Amino acid sequence: GAVVSQHPSRVICKSGTSVKIECRSLDFQATTMFWYRQFPKQSLMLMATSNEGSKATYEQGVEKDKFLINHASLTLSTLTVTSAHPEDSSFYICSVRDRGGEQYFGPGTRLTVT
Amino acid sequence: GQNIDQPTEMTATEGAIVQINCTYQTSGFNGLFWYQQHAGEAPTFLSYNVLDGLEEKGRFSSFLSRSKGYSYLLLKELQMKDSASYLCAVRDDGNNRKLIWGLGTSLAVNP
């Protein structure tokens, strides 16, 4: 299966700053990557679908100006949380989908906004 | 609307068998997935069903009935490390074929 990495694994930032999270597909060229958010004891919530070379498709209720997604290459997608606030503290997970339709997840990034 | 139901919590004993059920009502269907997620970690893929029937993979098996909108994950010979959350997800048949997630079943395996 595909190997997916995320960086950083944990980040603490101050309210009002921006944080960039990288998602890399290490052994597979991913035309589509997904970004999820998960609050404690809740299920995964899809934030957006990231397509290489085009604009991301955001789910209803997700602010595209706050959560900037760039999928500049077939192996890298980035999620930038702009002007972060404490309520943005969450577990952010990316995943890639292979040609067979299976989704593989990165290890996640734990964001804490103080 | 889209709806996926699974029990919130289950407990079982080490060495036993446990069945985790999932029912779904979705506008489209292009496969059902089961994922395992340990606390603080990302989900890991367990199984995929797109046709009716049972798929067996080691200690884990998954069953699907499309006419009933029903699936189950069967875990045999339970081990302590199987304590985790088990997520049921249905892939829709839209352009992006995104996954629709259940809330997960938290399984506690006791000695």
Side-chain angles (χ1 to χ4, degrees), chain A residues 34 36 38 43-44 46 49 59 91 97 101-103 105-107 110, chain B residues 33 35 37 40-43 45 87 91 96-99 101-103:
Chain A
F34 300 91
Y36 291 89
Q38 187 177 34
S43 191
L44 297 168
L46 179 65
T49 302
E59 294 300 301
F91 192 44
R97 186 174 65 206
E102 289 186 18
Q103 277 190 230
F105 288 85
R110 176 77 57 193
Chain B
F33 294 78
Y35 283 83
Q37 186 178 25
E41 300 179 12
F45 170 80
L87 303 169
R91 184 168 63 194
N96 271 329
R97 296 188 296 157
K98 62 186 179 184
L99 292 180
W101 295 85
L103 295 180

mmCIF file of all heavy atoms in Angstrom, chain A residues 34 36 38 43-44 46 49 59 91 97 101-103 105-107 110, chain B residues 33 35 37 40-43 45 87 91 96-99 101-103:
data_model
loop_
_atom_site.group_PDB
_atom_site.id
_atom_site.type_symbol
_atom_site.label_atom_id
_atom_site.label_comp_id
_atom_site.label_asym_id
_atom_site.label_seq_id
_atom_site.Cartn_x
_atom_site.Cartn_y
_atom_site.Cartn_z
ATOM 1 N N PHE A 34 -6.848 13.785 0.386
ATOM 2 C CA PHE A 34 -7.955 14.254 1.213
ATOM 3 C C PHE A 34 -7.393 14.807 2.531
ATOM 4 O O PHE A 34 -6.457 14.260 3.097
ATOM 5 C CB PHE A 34 -8.921 13.108 1.530
ATOM 6 C CG PHE A 34 -9.531 12.474 0.313
ATOM 7 C CD1 PHE A 34 -8.926 11.384 -0.293
ATOM 8 C CD2 PHE A 34 -10.714 12.951 -0.222
ATOM 9 C CE1 PHE A 34 -9.482 10.789 -1.409
ATOM 10 C CE2 PHE A 34 -11.278 12.364 -1.337
ATOM 11 C CZ PHE A 34 -10.668 11.280 -1.938
ATOM 12 N N TYR A 36 -8.544 15.657 6.438
ATOM 13 C CA TYR A 36 -9.563 15.419 7.450
ATOM 14 C C TYR A 36 -9.185 16.143 8.741
ATOM 15 O O TYR A 36 -8.025 16.422 9.004
ATOM 16 C CB TYR A 36 -9.668 13.921 7.773
ATOM 17 C CG TYR A 36 -10.234 13.052 6.691
ATOM 18 C CD1 TYR A 36 -9.407 12.486 5.715
ATOM 19 C CD2 TYR A 36 -11.594 12.758 6.647
ATOM 20 C CE1 TYR A 36 -9.930 11.672 4.724
ATOM 21 C CE2 TYR A 36 -12.119 11.939 5.661
ATOM 22 C CZ TYR A 36 -11.282 11.399 4.712
ATOM 23 O OH TYR A 36 -11.803 10.585 3.741
ATOM 24 N N GLN A 38 -10.174 15.727 13.007
ATOM 25 C CA GLN A 38 -10.825 14.859 13.974
ATOM 26 C C GLN A 38 -10.698 15.454 15.364
ATOM 27 O O GLN A 38 -9.578 15.636 15.860
ATOM 28 C CB GLN A 38 -10.216 13.450 13.939
ATOM 29 C CG GLN A 38 -10.956 12.448 14.807
ATOM 30 C CD GLN A 38 -10.371 11.051 14.685
ATOM 31 O OE1 GLN A 38 -9.168 10.881 14.523
ATOM 32 N NE2 GLN A 38 -11.227 10.033 14.760
ATOM 33 N N SER A 43 -15.593 11.202 15.016
ATOM 34 C CA SER A 43 -15.114 10.555 13.807
ATOM 35 C C SER A 43 -14.391 11.559 12.920
ATOM 36 O O SER A 43 -14.304 12.745 13.222
ATOM 37 C CB SER A 43 -16.286 9.929 13.059
ATOM 38 O OG SER A 43 -15.814 9.090 12.033
ATOM 39 N N LEU A 44 -13.882 11.044 11.835
ATOM 40 C CA LEU A 44 -13.178 11.889 10.885
ATOM 41 C C LEU A 44 -14.159 12.811 10.167
ATOM 42 O O LEU A 44 -15.243 12.394 9.789
ATOM 43 C CB LEU A 44 -12.476 11.026 9.838
ATOM 44 C CG LEU A 44 -11.398 10.089 10.366
ATOM 45 C CD1 LEU A 44 -11.003 9.095 9.293
ATOM 46 C CD2 LEU A 44 -10.189 10.880 10.814
ATOM 47 N N LEU A 46 -14.296 15.149 6.829
ATOM 48 C CA LEU A 46 -13.598 15.560 5.612
ATOM 49 C C LEU A 46 -13.665 17.070 5.482
ATOM 50 O O LEU A 46 -14.745 17.656 5.547
ATOM 51 C CB LEU A 46 -14.239 14.893 4.387
ATOM 52 C CG LEU A 46 -13.628 15.245 3.043
ATOM 53 C CD1 LEU A 46 -12.191 14.735 2.953
ATOM 54 C CD2 LEU A 46 -14.457 14.656 1.902
ATOM 55 N N THR A 49 -11.001 18.070 -0.536
ATOM 56 C CA THR A 49 -10.341 17.153 -1.461
ATOM 57 C C THR A 49 -9.351 17.956 -2.269
ATOM 58 O O THR A 49 -9.728 18.969 -2.887
ATOM 59 C CB THR A 49 -11.372 16.486 -2.371
ATOM 60 O OG1 THR A 49 -12.335 15.803 -1.558
ATOM 61 C CG2 THR A 49 -10.704 15.494 -3.300
ATOM 62 N N GLU A 59 -15.498 21.049 1.652
ATOM 63 C CA GLU A 59 -16.797 20.589 2.134
ATOM 64 C C GLU A 59 -17.587 21.773 2.703
ATOM 65 O O GLU A 59 -17.017 22.811 3.085
ATOM 66 C CB GLU A 59 -16.618 19.525 3.215
ATOM 67 C CG GLU A 59 -15.993 18.245 2.698
ATOM 68 C CD GLU A 59 -16.825 17.594 1.615
ATOM 69 O OE1 GLU A 59 -18.002 17.262 1.866
ATOM 70 O OE2 GLU A 59 -16.286 17.403 0.500
ATOM 71 N N PHE A 91 -6.841 17.227 15.499
ATOM 72 C CA PHE A 91 -5.958 16.247 14.858
ATOM 73 C C PHE A 91 -6.250 16.331 13.361
ATOM 74 O O PHE A 91 -7.367 16.067 12.931
ATOM 75 C CB PHE A 91 -6.278 14.858 15.424
ATOM 76 C CG PHE A 91 -5.291 13.782 15.095
ATOM 77 C CD1 PHE A 91 -3.929 14.006 15.183
ATOM 78 C CD2 PHE A 91 -5.716 12.522 14.728
ATOM 79 C CE1 PHE A 91 -3.006 13.014 14.901
ATOM 80 C CE2 PHE A 91 -4.811 11.507 14.446
ATOM 81 C CZ PHE A 91 -3.450 11.753 14.526
ATOM 82 N N ARG A 97 -5.401 8.413 -2.200
ATOM 83 C CA ARG A 97 -6.163 7.305 -2.758
ATOM 84 C C ARG A 97 -5.395 6.714 -3.921
ATOM 85 O O ARG A 97 -4.956 7.444 -4.806
ATOM 86 C CB ARG A 97 -7.535 7.791 -3.227
ATOM 87 C CG ARG A 97 -8.457 6.678 -3.690
ATOM 88 C CD ARG A 97 -9.836 7.213 -3.990
ATOM 89 N NE ARG A 97 -9.818 8.140 -5.104
ATOM 90 C CZ ARG A 97 -10.724 9.103 -5.273
ATOM 91 N NH1 ARG A 97 -11.675 9.264 -4.382
ATOM 92 N NH2 ARG A 97 -10.668 9.904 -6.309
ATOM 93 N N GLY A 101 -8.559 2.477 -5.490
ATOM 94 C CA GLY A 101 -9.609 3.118 -4.714
ATOM 95 C C GLY A 101 -9.406 3.061 -3.215
ATOM 96 O O GLY A 101 -10.198 3.614 -2.453
ATOM 97 N N GLU A 102 -8.351 2.388 -2.771
ATOM 98 C CA GLU A 102 -8.111 2.343 -1.336
ATOM 99 C C GLU A 102 -7.495 3.656 -0.868
ATOM 100 O O GLU A 102 -6.747 4.287 -1.595
ATOM 101 C CB GLU A 102 -7.169 1.190 -0.992
ATOM 102 C CG GLU A 102 -7.815 -0.183 -1.144
ATOM 103 C CD GLU A 102 -6.916 -1.299 -0.670
ATOM 104 O OE1 GLU A 102 -5.965 -1.011 0.076
ATOM 105 O OE2 GLU A 102 -7.163 -2.448 -1.057
ATOM 106 N N GLN A 103 -7.851 4.047 0.341
ATOM 107 C CA GLN A 103 -7.297 5.267 0.936
ATOM 108 C C GLN A 103 -6.307 4.892 2.030
ATOM 109 O O GLN A 103 -6.592 4.044 2.863
ATOM 110 C CB GLN A 103 -8.418 6.137 1.510
ATOM 111 C CG GLN A 103 -9.078 7.002 0.482
ATOM 112 C CD GLN A 103 -10.022 8.028 1.077
ATOM 113 O OE1 GLN A 103 -11.144 8.146 0.655
ATOM 114 N NE2 GLN A 103 -9.558 8.792 2.062
ATOM 115 N N PHE A 105 -3.785 6.576 5.045
ATOM 116 C CA PHE A 105 -3.723 7.772 5.858
ATOM 117 C C PHE A 105 -2.302 8.082 6.314
ATOM 118 O O PHE A 105 -1.506 7.183 6.565
ATOM 119 C CB PHE A 105 -4.612 7.616 7.094
ATOM 120 C CG PHE A 105 -6.077 7.668 6.770
ATOM 121 C CD1 PHE A 105 -6.745 6.531 6.357
ATOM 122 C CD2 PHE A 105 -6.771 8.856 6.854
ATOM 123 C CE1 PHE A 105 -8.089 6.579 6.035
ATOM 124 C CE2 PHE A 105 -8.110 8.910 6.551
ATOM 125 C CZ PHE A 105 -8.780 7.774 6.137
ATOM 126 N N GLY A 106 -2.029 9.366 6.409
ATOM 127 C CA GLY A 106 -0.805 9.801 7.058
ATOM 128 C C GLY A 106 -0.947 9.628 8.552
ATOM 129 O O GLY A 106 -2.037 9.343 9.062
ATOM 130 N N PRO A 107 0.149 9.829 9.288
ATOM 131 C CA PRO A 107 0.130 9.615 10.741
ATOM 132 C C PRO A 107 -0.588 10.714 11.520
ATOM 133 O O PRO A 107 -0.803 10.571 12.713
ATOM 134 C CB PRO A 107 1.609 9.560 11.106
ATOM 135 C CG PRO A 107 2.280 10.345 10.030
ATOM 136 C CD PRO A 107 1.493 10.117 8.785
ATOM 137 N N ARG A 110 -1.018 16.774 15.238
ATOM 138 C CA ARG A 110 -1.769 17.273 16.393
ATOM 139 C C ARG A 110 -1.490 18.773 16.537
ATOM 140 O O ARG A 110 -0.370 19.173 16.831
ATOM 141 C CB ARG A 110 -1.329 16.548 17.664
ATOM 142 C CG ARG A 110 -1.978 17.041 18.945
ATOM 143 C CD ARG A 110 -3.383 16.546 19.104
ATOM 144 N NE ARG A 110 -3.478 15.095 19.063
ATOM 145 C CZ ARG A 110 -4.626 14.430 18.925
ATOM 146 N NH1 ARG A 110 -5.765 15.093 18.832
ATOM 147 N NH2 ARG A 110 -4.637 13.120 18.916
ATOM 148 N N PHE B 33 -15.790 0.288 3.697
ATOM 149 C CA PHE B 33 -14.472 0.088 4.288
ATOM 150 C C PHE B 33 -14.585 -0.046 5.797
ATOM 151 O O PHE B 33 -15.456 0.556 6.435
ATOM 152 C CB PHE B 33 -13.566 1.293 3.999
ATOM 153 C CG PHE B 33 -13.228 1.488 2.549
ATOM 154 C CD1 PHE B 33 -14.141 2.061 1.679
ATOM 155 C CD2 PHE B 33 -11.991 1.111 2.054
ATOM 156 C CE1 PHE B 33 -13.825 2.258 0.341
ATOM 157 C CE2 PHE B 33 -11.664 1.305 0.722
ATOM 158 C CZ PHE B 33 -12.589 1.878 -0.134
ATOM 159 N N TYR B 35 -11.905 0.506 9.069
ATOM 160 C CA TYR B 35 -10.598 0.985 9.492
ATOM 161 C C TYR B 35 -10.473 0.789 10.998
ATOM 162 O O TYR B 35 -11.466 0.847 11.745
ATOM 163 C CB TYR B 35 -10.414 2.473 9.185
ATOM 164 C CG TYR B 35 -10.125 2.791 7.738
ATOM 165 C CD1 TYR B 35 -11.155 2.908 6.798
ATOM 166 C CD2 TYR B 35 -8.821 2.972 7.299
ATOM 167 C CE1 TYR B 35 -10.883 3.204 5.478
ATOM 168 C CE2 TYR B 35 -8.538 3.266 5.971
ATOM 169 C CZ TYR B 35 -9.582 3.375 5.069
ATOM 170 O OH TYR B 35 -9.306 3.676 3.757
ATOM 171 N N GLN B 37 -8.519 2.374 14.362
ATOM 172 C CA GLN B 37 -7.806 3.566 14.805
ATOM 173 C C GLN B 37 -7.491 3.467 16.292
ATOM 174 O O GLN B 37 -8.397 3.425 17.126
ATOM 175 C CB GLN B 37 -8.614 4.837 14.526
ATOM 176 C CG GLN B 37 -7.841 6.114 14.848
ATOM 177 C CD GLN B 37 -8.619 7.376 14.523
ATOM 178 O OE1 GLN B 37 -9.845 7.379 14.500
ATOM 179 N NE2 GLN B 37 -7.898 8.455 14.250
ATOM 180 N N GLY B 40 -4.971 8.527 19.329
ATOM 181 C CA GLY B 40 -3.871 9.410 18.965
ATOM 182 C C GLY B 40 -3.171 9.063 17.674
ATOM 183 O O GLY B 40 -2.162 9.690 17.334
ATOM 184 N N GLU B 41 -3.688 8.064 16.965
ATOM 185 C CA GLU B 41 -3.064 7.661 15.708
ATOM 186 C C GLU B 41 -4.048 7.782 14.560
ATOM 187 O O GLU B 41 -5.248 7.922 14.763
ATOM 188 C CB GLU B 41 -2.546 6.226 15.808
ATOM 189 C CG GLU B 41 -1.500 6.021 16.888
ATOM 190 C CD GLU B 41 -1.041 4.571 16.969
ATOM 191 O OE1 GLU B 41 -1.353 3.779 16.067
ATOM 192 O OE2 GLU B 41 -0.363 4.239 17.961
ATOM 193 N N ALA B 42 -3.531 7.740 13.352
ATOM 194 C CA ALA B 42 -4.395 7.795 12.171
ATOM 195 C C ALA B 42 -5.021 6.420 11.931
ATOM 196 O O ALA B 42 -4.520 5.404 12.404
ATOM 197 C CB ALA B 42 -3.584 8.236 10.958
ATOM 198 N N PRO B 43 -6.117 6.367 11.202
ATOM 199 C CA PRO B 43 -6.754 5.082 10.892
ATOM 200 C C PRO B 43 -5.875 4.216 9.999
ATOM 201 O O PRO B 43 -5.133 4.723 9.156
ATOM 202 C CB PRO B 43 -8.022 5.493 10.143
ATOM 203 C CG PRO B 43 -8.247 6.921 10.473
ATOM 204 C CD PRO B 43 -6.901 7.505 10.682
ATOM 205 N N PHE B 45 -6.146 0.784 7.372
ATOM 206 C CA PHE B 45 -7.095 0.039 6.563
ATOM 207 C C PHE B 45 -7.195 -1.407 7.038
ATOM 208 O O PHE B 45 -6.197 -2.065 7.286
ATOM 209 C CB PHE B 45 -6.636 0.087 5.099
ATOM 210 C CG PHE B 45 -7.385 -0.821 4.180
ATOM 211 C CD1 PHE B 45 -8.631 -0.459 3.691
ATOM 212 C CD2 PHE B 45 -6.844 -2.033 3.784
ATOM 213 C CE1 PHE B 45 -9.314 -1.294 2.827
ATOM 214 C CE2 PHE B 45 -7.526 -2.877 2.922
ATOM 215 C CZ PHE B 45 -8.764 -2.504 2.445
ATOM 216 N N LEU B 87 -13.821 2.006 12.599
ATOM 217 C CA LEU B 87 -14.602 2.947 11.813
ATOM 218 C C LEU B 87 -15.144 2.284 10.559
ATOM 219 O O LEU B 87 -14.403 1.650 9.812
ATOM 220 C CB LEU B 87 -13.722 4.139 11.397
ATOM 221 C CG LEU B 87 -13.056 4.908 12.540
ATOM 222 C CD1 LEU B 87 -12.008 5.863 11.990
ATOM 223 C CD2 LEU B 87 -14.096 5.680 13.323
ATOM 224 N N ARG B 91 -18.079 4.524 0.587
ATOM 225 C CA ARG B 91 -17.615 5.403 -0.483
ATOM 226 C C ARG B 91 -18.787 5.695 -1.401
ATOM 227 O O ARG B 91 -19.469 4.789 -1.864
ATOM 228 C CB ARG B 91 -16.479 4.752 -1.263
ATOM 229 C CG ARG B 91 -15.873 5.654 -2.326
ATOM 230 C CD ARG B 91 -14.579 5.077 -2.851
ATOM 231 N NE ARG B 91 -14.769 3.818 -3.512
ATOM 232 C CZ ARG B 91 -13.770 2.986 -3.824
ATOM 233 N NH1 ARG B 91 -12.534 3.284 -3.492
ATOM 234 N NH2 ARG B 91 -14.016 1.851 -4.441
ATOM 235 N N ASN B 96 -15.773 12.579 -6.836
ATOM 236 C CA ASN B 96 -14.620 12.459 -5.969
ATOM 237 C C ASN B 96 -14.588 11.151 -5.196
ATOM 238 O O ASN B 96 -13.600 10.834 -4.553
ATOM 239 C CB ASN B 96 -14.558 13.631 -4.984
ATOM 240 C CG ASN B 96 -13.783 14.800 -5.564
ATOM 241 O OD1 ASN B 96 -12.870 14.621 -6.354
ATOM 242 N ND2 ASN B 96 -14.154 16.006 -5.165
ATOM 243 N N ARG B 97 -15.677 10.400 -5.242
ATOM 244 C CA ARG B 97 -15.789 9.117 -4.540
ATOM 245 C C ARG B 97 -15.271 9.237 -3.109
ATOM 246 O O ARG B 97 -14.468 8.426 -2.657
ATOM 247 C CB ARG B 97 -15.032 8.048 -5.309
ATOM 248 C CG ARG B 97 -15.619 7.765 -6.685
ATOM 249 C CD ARG B 97 -14.960 6.568 -7.326
ATOM 250 N NE ARG B 97 -13.555 6.798 -7.575
ATOM 251 C CZ ARG B 97 -12.659 5.829 -7.711
ATOM 252 N NH1 ARG B 97 -13.022 4.579 -7.598
ATOM 253 N NH2 ARG B 97 -11.400 6.132 -7.954
ATOM 254 N N LYS B 98 -15.725 10.234 -2.409
ATOM 255 C CA LYS B 98 -15.230 10.440 -1.053
ATOM 256 C C LYS B 98 -15.864 9.446 -0.100
ATOM 257 O O LYS B 98 -16.894 8.836 -0.380
ATOM 258 C CB LYS B 98 -15.518 11.861 -0.597
ATOM 259 C CG LYS B 98 -17.003 12.203 -0.540
ATOM 260 C CD LYS B 98 -17.206 13.675 -0.228
ATOM 261 C CE LYS B 98 -18.676 14.028 -0.185
ATOM 262 N NZ LYS B 98 -18.895 15.480 0.021
ATOM 263 N N LEU B 99 -15.214 9.273 1.053
ATOM 264 C CA LEU B 99 -15.709 8.357 2.069
ATOM 265 C C LEU B 99 -16.633 9.085 3.027
ATOM 266 O O LEU B 99 -16.366 10.200 3.446
ATOM 267 C CB LEU B 99 -14.537 7.750 2.844
ATOM 268 C CG LEU B 99 -13.617 6.799 2.080
ATOM 269 C CD1 LEU B 99 -12.503 6.290 2.984
ATOM 270 C CD2 LEU B 99 -14.407 5.636 1.508
ATOM 271 N N TRP B 101 -18.138 8.710 6.737
ATOM 272 C CA TRP B 101 -17.674 7.991 7.923
ATOM 273 C C TRP B 101 -18.737 7.827 8.985
ATOM 274 O O TRP B 101 -19.516 8.751 9.239
ATOM 275 C CB TRP B 101 -16.480 8.730 8.544
ATOM 276 C CG TRP B 101 -15.282 8.748 7.658
ATOM 277 C CD1 TRP B 101 -15.016 9.640 6.669
ATOM 278 C CD2 TRP B 101 -14.209 7.809 7.659
ATOM 279 N NE1 TRP B 101 -13.822 9.314 6.061
ATOM 280 C CE2 TRP B 101 -13.316 8.211 6.635
ATOM 281 C CE3 TRP B 101 -13.917 6.671 8.414
ATOM 282 C CZ2 TRP B 101 -12.134 7.499 6.363
ATOM 283 C CZ3 TRP B 101 -12.744 5.976 8.141
ATOM 284 C CH2 TRP B 101 -11.878 6.399 7.128
ATOM 285 N N GLY B 102 -18.736 6.650 9.611
ATOM 286 C CA GLY B 102 -19.490 6.476 10.842
ATOM 287 C C GLY B 102 -18.720 7.096 11.989
ATOM 288 O O GLY B 102 -17.566 7.518 11.825
ATOM 289 N N LEU B 103 -19.336 7.128 13.159
ATOM 290 C CA LEU B 103 -18.689 7.746 14.314
ATOM 291 C C LEU B 103 -17.683 6.831 14.995
ATOM 292 O O LEU B 103 -16.952 7.259 15.876
ATOM 293 C CB LEU B 103 -19.747 8.198 15.323
ATOM 294 C CG LEU B 103 -20.669 9.316 14.833
ATOM 295 C CD1 LEU B 103 -21.680 9.677 15.897
ATOM 296 C CD2 LEU B 103 -19.866 10.542 14.432
#
